[in-house]
Amino acid sequence: MARVDQRKRPTDKAFAPEYQGALGSLSVNSSLTDVLAKGVEELRAAEQAGERREMARCGLAVAEACRRLGRVTEADSAWKASYRAARSVDDVGAMAWALWSGGTLARQRGSLALAYRLLRLAADLGERGGDVVVRGYSLAGLAETGRIQGDYQAVGELHEQLLAEARRRGEARHTVWALEGIAQMHRNTGSYDRALALFEEAAATAGRADDRRGRAWALRGIADVVSVRDGDVERALSLLTEAESLCRGMKLSSALAYNHKMRGNVHYRAGQYAQARDTYAQALAEFQEMNEPRGTALSRLGLAKALARLGRNPAETVVELAELRRDLDRIGLRHARDMVDKATAELGVGPLPDVGNPAERAVTR
């Protein structure tokens, strides 16, 4: 079977370097269910042939497909097996990719300290093995981990550096990622015009590169800004509908859940509290099924706000917000934790009590 090295493909179009070996012919836009099925098939073939390097590379695709589908237990087993196979033949590059996958999964599961450790190891191995792509992806993972924590000062420069590197090498997919990350930081600090320009550039770049995942995330960002800045509900919902279609086509479970959470935000800002309640509840169920703590917490926050507006007992709202604040502190998501404080002030239910240290209740209850 012919092997396609994604890293040698033309860079004006988006490609997926995490699909390697027998899976190198897969598109960045391949359905994740298709990726998983082919990955499992090729992994079994490699195992039967005793091809350890191929086991590592096929296992990476299996890990990433499982992660993006929200099958986190399987993803955890797959990236570790990929790493072991790579280590057994001293394939430094494959080891780095496996660690990158594990670090990305750790961030998705809310284990930020572990994410930092694995992604730093991946970046170091990528540099040692001369694989600039996995090094760049790992540094990007570190930057994204810091960004979702709200540590913009620490990672803002790294985002800009990675954007410059991606543009210099002509890597469309990474250019889109960096643009979206920088845009999100501007949006969260109130620089809406700059955020919108960057999200629109990301959407256009993704469109030219046929990066449907990147375009879906960019459309979500545009919808957010036009909703919060302009109050343009109709346009925001239209953009989210287009993004949802892209997510469903690729079976992007996590991106789809975040799309639904944003739809709830749009309805809430427009005073459409019943619609917001229903959409937040849908997103919450999706995040809980994937065991994704950050999305779960943000959906719980939105749902708590919508229910408060619909007449929920203020005492119940206080309990919910206090628990959310504790959970977000535990995960280390400072920006999201600040959102709880803003919601408390907005709803007029503060100050929140200190919930103390009872038996920890998981964020993804």
Side-chain angles (χ1 to χ4, degrees):
M1 180 182 293
R3 298 294 190 261
V4 178
D5 188 342
Q6 291 270 15
R7 292 166 292 182
K8 295 180 180 178
R9 290 189 171 195
T11 53
D12 59 334
K13 292 294 183 182
F15 66 103
E18 67 269 31
Y19 300 157
Q20 302 171 11
L23 303 174
S25 62
L26 293 176
S27 163
V28 68
N29 298 318
S30 295
S31 163
L32 293 176
T33 53
D34 292 343
V35 173
L36 181 57
K38 185 169 179 59
V40 169
E41 177 187 350
E42 295 294 347
L43 177 58
R44 287 174 179 163
E47 288 171 343
Q48 291 173 359
E51 298 179 0
R52 307 291 291 177
R53 282 187 172 83
E54 191 66 11
M55 287 167 58
R57 299 185 188 285
C58 294
L60 172 67
V62 170
E64 281 301 285
C66 287
R67 180 182 68 80
R68 291 164 176 162
L69 287 166
R71 297 164 63 166
V72 295
T73 301
E74 294 167 72
D76 190 53
S77 297
W79 83 258
K80 290 174 180 175
S82 175
Y83 178 80
R84 288 193 298 269
R87 186 178 60 184
S88 71
V89 289
D90 198 28
D91 188 332
V92 175
M95 289 165 64
W97 276 110
L99 289 168
W100 165 78
S101 179
T104 306
L105 176 65
R107 182 179 65 241
Q108 181 173 316
R109 300 176 80 174
S111 301
L112 301 186
L114 178 60
Y116 277 121
R117 184 163 67 87
L118 294 175
L119 290 167
R120 286 193 185 101
L121 288 171
D124 290 343
L125 284 177
E127 185 170 13
R128 173 149 58 96
D131 190 329
V132 297
V133 180
V134 71
R135 175 184 172 275
Y137 270 58
S138 301
L139 291 175
L142 288 169
E144 186 165 348
T145 304
R147 178 172 57 77
I148 69 169
Q149 280 190 287
D151 197 357
Y152 302 154
Q153 185 174 1
V155 299
E157 185 176 340
L158 181 54
H159 272 80
E160 295 284 358
Q161 173 192 331
L162 292 168
L163 174 59
E165 289 183 7
R167 281 177 162 159
R168 185 170 61 251
R169 293 199 300 266
E171 292 181 1
R173 187 184 183 201
H174 238 208
T175 297
V176 169
W177 168 87
L179 286 168
E180 291 171 351
I182 297 166
Q184 191 64 52
M185 287 187 283
H186 281 293
R187 180 261 179 264
N188 290 346
T189 53
S191 300
Y192 298 129
D193 293 347
R194 180 62 178 150
L196 182 59
L198 289 167
F199 277 129
E200 288 177 337
E201 182 182 353
T205 303
R208 290 192 298 270
D210 193 25
D211 176 5
R212 296 173 195 167
R213 180 186 294 113
R215 181 167 172 80
W217 282 105
L219 292 174
R220 175 183 173 274
I222 295 171
D224 184 25
V225 176
V226 300
S227 166
V228 72
R229 186 192 70 169
D230 306 330
D232 193 337
V233 178
E234 184 176 348
R235 185 184 176 205
L237 293 178
S238 176
L239 288 163
L240 290 171
T241 297
E242 181 183 348
E244 178 167 345
S245 177
L246 294 170
C247 293
R248 290 191 182 282
M250 295 178 63
K251 306 296 192 293
L252 297 174
S253 304
S254 180
L256 183 60
Y258 274 105
N259 181 291
H260 291 154
K261 199 274 296 180
M262 182 57 67
R263 187 176 287 271
N265 290 356
V266 172
H267 284 305
Y268 182 85
R269 291 168 190 152
Q272 300 168 353
Y273 300 127
Q275 295 97 317
R277 174 199 60 203
D278 295 344
T279 312
Y280 283 133
Q282 177 185 5
L284 177 59
E286 291 167 340
F287 283 123
Q288 288 177 324
E289 184 177 358
M290 291 183 286
N291 191 26
E292 187 163 334
R294 177 170 173 259
T296 296
L298 292 173
S299 298
R300 282 178 60 196
L301 175 59
L303 182 57
K305 290 168 61 178
L307 289 172
R309 295 295 189 183
L310 290 168
R312 185 188 196 185
N313 186 323
E316 295 179 14
T317 300
V318 167
V319 170
E320 181 79 7
L321 293 178
E323 291 179 346
L324 270 171
R325 185 176 62 179
R326 180 200 61 194
D327 291 340
L328 291 166
D329 278 340
R330 179 166 55 82
I331 300 173
L333 299 175
R334 291 190 290 275
H335 174 70
R337 197 260 196 212
D338 291 343
M339 292 171 62
V340 174
D341 292 338
K342 291 177 181 176
T344 302
E346 173 193 331
L347 299 172
V349 296
L352 298 181
D354 184 351
V355 295
N357 294 303
E360 286 289 327
R361 188 181 72 170
V363 177
T364 53
R365 55 181 182 172

